[in-house]
């Protein structure tokens, strides 16, 4: 806060450029004396006090003017540097148990984190992550109920798999673009589109596009060939159209910490927002391509043998005939495209309308492997004849199970609320 006070003077103050904004503060303070003194024109040298002319008002008493300037700044990564508790102590007004993580906390975490790994330290959450890169699906429990019983909401839209109710949070958004995550321990909100969420709700929102044009680039690296590169461009306000947008791209990769293979991920986020006089509408697009070499299930006996012999229980790096443990025969390739069009409109002082159409497209494939007899084998309960398999040796060949799965989901989530005496109906 800046304060200026002066009498009979003018000042021009320039505040240096911070986070893409500059402020010029002009302060003018003028005081008029209440009395005047005049020198006697005679030779006597006596001073006389000027008398007020009959019928005129006395001069006003001198007063100082104060101008208060409150300044705040935000970093290119969205950090404000003034969030309580480093972004983990948001003011909560709901009559329920909930925790909100803001941008100031999220930006301090690993750039490869996903939504689940970001909330791992929230009370009531227990997370079992498969990899430190946040790429593979992990196991989350909240107050004793697993992730399939927790409702995941992204920009007001249900983001869990519609058949298994499991959320692949690594497919939704990059950590650099997350604005806030609200964790509701207990039952979900009555207006959330997650009717199955008996274990609580995790509500995530992206950062809004900036009103100023700028870009942001970051890179990180670590052991096992881990690295992530991220770049984001924000258009700022586009003329007087009320439009502003952002788009980002990231690439992440890492080697498996035991066995052959690794993981890599390409991801695109974009958000275009139109500001209306009564609210706003956003067009959100996301694309993810993720490829990972799976880890086998390791028993205690295999782990002990690994420690004694040094032979890794992971999938092999090289292929030879009959080797069904080659890592390239145990790959998972997941792809996702989502398009969302949420609108939040204030129809009047007490009536609010929210409409959120969405479409989500997910595809595989997932691979597996087995040794298959060239003839006389079984497909389920039915025996087959001679398959004439190429590259067979001693009547057997290495076969790949190729599951090219695909699922599409979409819907319209809408809500209208009426506030009466500060209570929503």
């Amino acid at each position: 806060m800046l304060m200026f006070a002066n009498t009979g003077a003018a000042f021009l103050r320039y505040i240096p450029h911070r986070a893409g904004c500059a402020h010029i503060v002009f302060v003018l303070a003028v005081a008029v004396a209440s009395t005047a003194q005049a020198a006697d024109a005679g030779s006597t040298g006596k001073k006389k006090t000027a008398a007020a002319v009959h019928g005129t008002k006395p001069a006003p008493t001198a007063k100082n003017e104060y101008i208060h300037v409150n300044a705040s700044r935000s970093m290119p990564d969205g950090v404000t540097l003034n969030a309580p508790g480093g972004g983990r102590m948001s003011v909560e007004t709901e009559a329920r148990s909930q925790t909100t993580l803001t941008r100031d906390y999220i930006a301090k975490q690993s750039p490869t984190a996903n939504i689940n790994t970001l909330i791992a330290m929230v009370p009531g959450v227990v997370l079992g992550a498969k990899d430190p890169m946040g790429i593979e699906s992990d196991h989350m429990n909240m107050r004793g109920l697993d992730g399939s019983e927790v409702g995941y909401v992204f920009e007001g839209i249900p983001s869990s798999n519609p058949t298994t109710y499991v959320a692949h949070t690594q497919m939704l958004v990059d950590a650099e673009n997350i604005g806030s995550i609200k964790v509701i321990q207990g039952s979900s909100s009555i207006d959330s589109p997650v009717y199955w969420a008996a274990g609580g709700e995790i509500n995530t929102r992206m950062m809004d596009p900036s009103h100023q044009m700028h870009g942001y680039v970051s890179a990180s690296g670590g052991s096992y060939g881990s690295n992530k590169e991220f770049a984001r461009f924000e258009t700022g306000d586009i003329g007087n159209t009320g439009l502003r947008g952002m788009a980002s791209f990231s690439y992440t990769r890492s080697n498996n910490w035991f066995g052959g293979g690794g993981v890599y991920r390409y991801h695109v986020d974009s958000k275009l927002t139109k500001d209306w006089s009564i609210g706003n509408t956003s067009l959100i697009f996301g694309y993810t391509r993720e490829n990972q070499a799976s880890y086998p299930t390791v028993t205690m006996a295999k782990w002990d043998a690994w420690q004694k012999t040094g032979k890794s229980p992971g999938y092999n790096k090289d292929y030879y005939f009959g080797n069904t443990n080659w890592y390239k025969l145990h790959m998972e390739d997941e792809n996702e495209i989502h398009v969302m069009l949420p609108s939040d409109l204030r129809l009047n002082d007490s009536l609010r309308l929210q409409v959120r159409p969405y479409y989500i497209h997910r595809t595989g494939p997932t691979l597996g492997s087995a040794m298959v007899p060239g003839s006389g084998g079984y497909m389920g309960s039915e025996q087959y004849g001679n398959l004439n398999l190429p590259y067979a040796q001693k009547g057997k060949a290495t076969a790949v199970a190729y599951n090219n799965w695909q699922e599409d989901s979409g819907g319209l989530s809408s809500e209208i609320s009426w506030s009466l005496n500060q209570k929503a109906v």
Side-chain angles (χ1 to χ4, degrees):
M1 181 178 70
L2 302 179
M3 298 179 60
F4 300 96
N6 203 33
T7 302
F11 293 91
L12 185 66
R13 178 69 182 268
Y14 175 74
I15 300 177
H17 175 81
R18 288 184 180 178
C21 62
H23 304 277
I24 296 179
V25 181
F26 184 75
V27 182
L28 178 62
V30 179
V32 180
S34 60
T35 60
Q37 292 183 343
D40 187 9
S43 60
T44 60
K46 295 182 179 181
K47 295 183 179 179
K48 297 181 179 180
T49 302
V53 180
H54 179 71
T56 62
K57 296 181 179 180
T61 305
K63 294 182 179 180
N64 294 330
E65 290 188 1
Y66 296 92
I67 295 179
H68 301 269
V69 180
N70 297 316
S72 63
R73 66 176 181 175
S74 61
M75 308 300 289
D77 58 356
V79 174
T80 63
L81 301 178
N82 58 11
R88 292 188 62 187
M89 295 180 63
S90 299
V91 177
E92 306 291 356
T93 58
E94 301 288 343
R96 62 190 178 197
S97 177
Q98 69 178 33
T99 304
T100 303
L101 305 179
T102 65
R103 183 66 205 156
D104 284 64
Y105 171 78
I106 296 170
K108 297 182 180 71
Q109 309 310 304
S110 169
T112 64
N114 58 43
I115 295 172
N116 277 348
T117 56
L118 287 171
I119 66 172
M121 301 299 292
V122 171
V125 175
V126 178
L127 180 69
K130 289 185 178 180
D131 73 305
M133 299 298 291
I135 294 180
E136 294 193 53
S137 299
D138 38 39
H139 301 284
M140 191 275 292
N141 288 269
M142 187 154 65
R143 291 191 172 180
L145 299 178
D146 64 25
S148 63
E149 297 176 284
V150 175
Y152 285 82
V153 179
F154 178 62
E155 288 289 339
I157 292 164
S159 56
S160 300
N161 187 302
T163 56
T164 64
Y165 302 121
V166 174
H168 301 275
T169 61
Q170 75 277 11
M171 311 288 285
L172 291 175
V173 61
D174 273 322
E176 292 87 346
N177 294 326
I178 298 178
S180 66
I181 304 175
K182 180 183 292 185
V183 181
I184 302 174
Q185 300 98 331
S187 60
S188 62
S189 301
I190 191 172
D191 58 347
S192 293
V194 284
Y195 58 88
W196 66 89
E201 179 184 336
I202 298 172
N203 196 315
T204 305
R205 292 195 174 276
M206 289 181 65
M207 295 170 56
D208 288 326
S210 174
H211 289 280
Q212 297 179 345
M213 180 187 296
H214 69 271
Y216 175 74
V217 177
S218 67
S220 58
S223 57
Y224 296 99
S226 303
N227 64 85
K228 180 179 183 179
E229 292 75 43
F230 174 87
R232 180 177 64 231
F233 174 73
E234 306 207 32
T235 65
D237 292 326
I238 304 175
N240 296 321
T241 62
L243 291 170
R244 49 196 167 98
M246 56 81 70
S248 69
F249 171 80
S250 70
Y251 171 72
T252 310
R253 73 165 303 277
S254 178
N255 298 326
N256 285 357
W257 68 277
F258 73 92
V263 295
Y264 66 83
R265 173 182 179 266
Y266 296 95
H267 185 80
V268 173
D269 281 323
S270 66
K271 185 175 184 179
L272 180 66
T273 299
K274 166 64 177 178
D275 293 319
W276 312 96
S277 60
I278 59 173
N280 61 72
T281 299
S282 296
L283 175 62
I284 299 172
F285 171 82
Y287 167 76
T288 304
R289 185 190 174 188
E290 180 180 297
N291 183 281
Q292 58 192 33
S294 303
Y295 287 101
T297 301
V298 180
T299 63
M300 181 60 72
K302 291 182 179 180
W303 180 271
D304 292 338
W306 183 14
Q307 305 305 309
K308 294 178 181 179
T309 64
K311 183 178 180 181
S312 171
Y315 292 122
N316 304 135
K317 297 180 180 180
D318 302 313
Y319 174 75
Y320 53 86
F321 179 79
N323 180 17
T324 58
N325 284 327
W326 186 36
Y327 78 92
K328 288 191 176 182
L329 298 177
H330 299 272
M331 303 291 293
E332 295 182 21
D333 195 290
E334 296 185 62
N335 304 272
E336 178 177 313
I337 295 175
H338 58 253
V339 181
M340 306 171 180
L341 191 66
S343 295
D344 189 351
L345 307 174
R346 287 279 185 181
L347 304 182
N348 56 41
D349 291 340
S350 59
L351 201 60
R352 180 183 182 186
L353 174 65
Q354 298 179 73
V355 181
R356 313 180 192 97
Y358 65 94
Y359 170 72
I360 302 175
H361 172 75
R362 299 184 178 99
T363 61
T366 301
L367 305 182
S369 179
M371 292 296 294
V372 177
S375 62
Y378 285 85
M379 178 67 71
S381 59
E382 297 184 8
Q383 189 176 28
Y384 57 80
N386 190 353
L387 299 179
N388 295 317
L389 297 176
Y391 311 112
Q393 296 184 17
K394 298 180 179 180
K396 292 185 176 182
T398 306
V400 177
Y402 188 88
N403 180 17
N404 190 20
W405 57 271
Q406 175 179 323
E407 67 177 30
D408 297 270
S409 61
L412 174 64
S413 172
S414 59
E415 173 188 346
I416 187 167
S417 58
W418 177 38
S419 298
L420 181 62
N421 296 329
Q422 298 182 349
K423 294 182 179 180
V425 179

